[in-house]
Amino acid sequence: MFKKSLLLFIALTLISCHATKSPIVTTKKGGAKNTYSQKNKKTKSRNEVIQSTSRTSVTNDIVNNYVSQYKDIAMSNMKTYGIPASIILAQGILESGAGRGDLAVSANNHFGIKCHSDWTGDTVNHDDDSSQECFRKYNKVSESYRDHALFLTGKGRYASLFELDKDDYRAWAKGLRNAGYATDSQYPDKLISYIERYNLGQYDAQVLGRNYVPVENQNRRIVARDSRNDTFYEVQKGDTLYSISKKYNVLVDDLKQKNKLSDSSTLFVGQKLKIN
């Protein structure tokens, strides 16, 4: 009787051990497949974080879809109000996190416009420069786009913008920052980066009836690799470290380190920067 009980105990123990080992092997295989899948997704569409009134992670596809969805409204507003469509779209991308930011989702506010004393519509509170600031709320996104145009045309501090050429998006980007639209010192660089990476200038050209030359063909070039196989970029007028970093998907800090630049360094036209 004792021997039978002992044999039964050993058999049950072996079965139990086999049962506990199987899920571990399956989990490892499943984990490996998931990791590989995530790597493949990253190569297809690069992630980036848009920081404005909220911190939003988006992909290139999300930004492209945003542009496709609102380009017609932007061009219509350019015709009616004289604001470059490229600037409208770039601000929309930045301020709304390409439509995925908190204010865009909860209030259809795609331009981060705060209440101000003259606003009589619906409002929503949201943390920004200060805690729980008052922002405008709209019933639909098109209302936000129209209010953005009325905001710029109706405020005296933006009057100088409308003296600029309609296709000079660089001057408009800098002018918005100088007029106080945003407190972020990199605001112009961010707008310019979106305009150039997503070729938003083509919508200005459509409204103005001009031929559009893609940014990569506008005298922007990579200098041939040197004997050590290093790649260099030749700085063009209006370039910044931020815009170059976004164009070639490198970090600003890496550009500084590779080219021995400090925070106070100034780029000059014709300067050759090591990219990789």
Side-chain angles (χ1 to χ4, degrees), residues 30-167:
K33 288 181 180 178
N34 288 337
T35 302
Y36 180 75
S37 175
Q38 289 298 321
K39 286 182 179 179
N40 281 348
K41 288 180 180 179
K42 287 182 181 179
T43 58
K44 290 180 180 178
S45 185
R46 180 167 54 85
N47 288 303
E48 69 171 288
V49 174
I50 298 177
Q51 179 69 55
S52 54
T53 53
S54 62
R55 185 177 176 86
T56 312
S57 179
V58 300
T59 63
N60 296 339
D61 289 341
I62 290 174
V63 177
N64 281 320
N65 289 337
Y66 182 89
V67 172
S68 297
Q69 188 171 0
Y70 297 112
K71 61 182 177 61
D72 290 334
I73 296 178
M75 287 191 288
S76 176
N77 281 6
M78 180 176 179
K79 294 175 183 177
T80 303
Y81 301 102
I83 306 165
S86 60
I87 287 292
I88 296 171
L89 288 169
Q91 283 196 280
I93 293 168
L94 177 56
E95 297 287 354
S96 76
R100 301 298 181 93
D102 294 342
L103 272 178
V105 173
S106 65
N108 287 318
N109 189 329
H110 279 227
F111 296 91
I113 300 180
K114 297 178 181 179
C115 296
H116 300 285
S117 59
D118 57 346
W119 178 249
T120 58
D122 292 335
T123 64
V124 62
N125 291 332
H126 180 75
D127 291 345
D128 192 37
D129 295 326
S130 301
S131 176
Q132 293 297 288
E133 292 190 77
C134 182
F135 285 84
R136 302 182 182 191
K137 183 178 181 180
Y138 309 95
N139 292 321
K140 50 188 178 181
V141 177
S142 60
E143 293 178 5
S144 176
Y145 269 74
R146 181 174 182 273
D147 192 44
H148 168 259
L150 295 176
F151 184 79
L152 292 185
T153 56
K155 300 287 185 182
R157 59 179 168 153
Y158 299 112
S160 61
L161 292 174
F162 295 89
E163 299 174 3
L164 302 171
D165 290 338
K166 296 298 181 288
D167 59 352

Side-chain angles (χ1 to χ4, degrees), residues 16-35:
S16 175
C17 290
H18 179 73
T20 56
K21 287 181 180 179
S22 296
I24 295 176
V25 174
T26 302
T27 300
K28 285 184 178 180
K29 289 181 179 179
K33 288 181 180 178
N34 288 337
T35 302

Side-chain angles (χ1 to χ4, degrees), residues 226-258:
D226 64 10
S227 58
R228 294 171 298 183
N229 207 33
D230 290 333
T231 303
F232 290 82
Y233 173 76
E234 185 174 315
V235 176
Q236 306 295 309
K237 183 179 179 181
D239 277 337
T240 65
L241 284 176
Y242 182 85
S243 65
I244 296 170
S245 72
K246 290 299 183 182
K247 184 175 179 63
Y248 296 106
N249 194 25
V250 296
L251 297 175
V252 171
D253 287 342
D254 286 346
L255 284 176
K256 288 180 180 178
Q257 183 177 2
K258 290 174 182 177

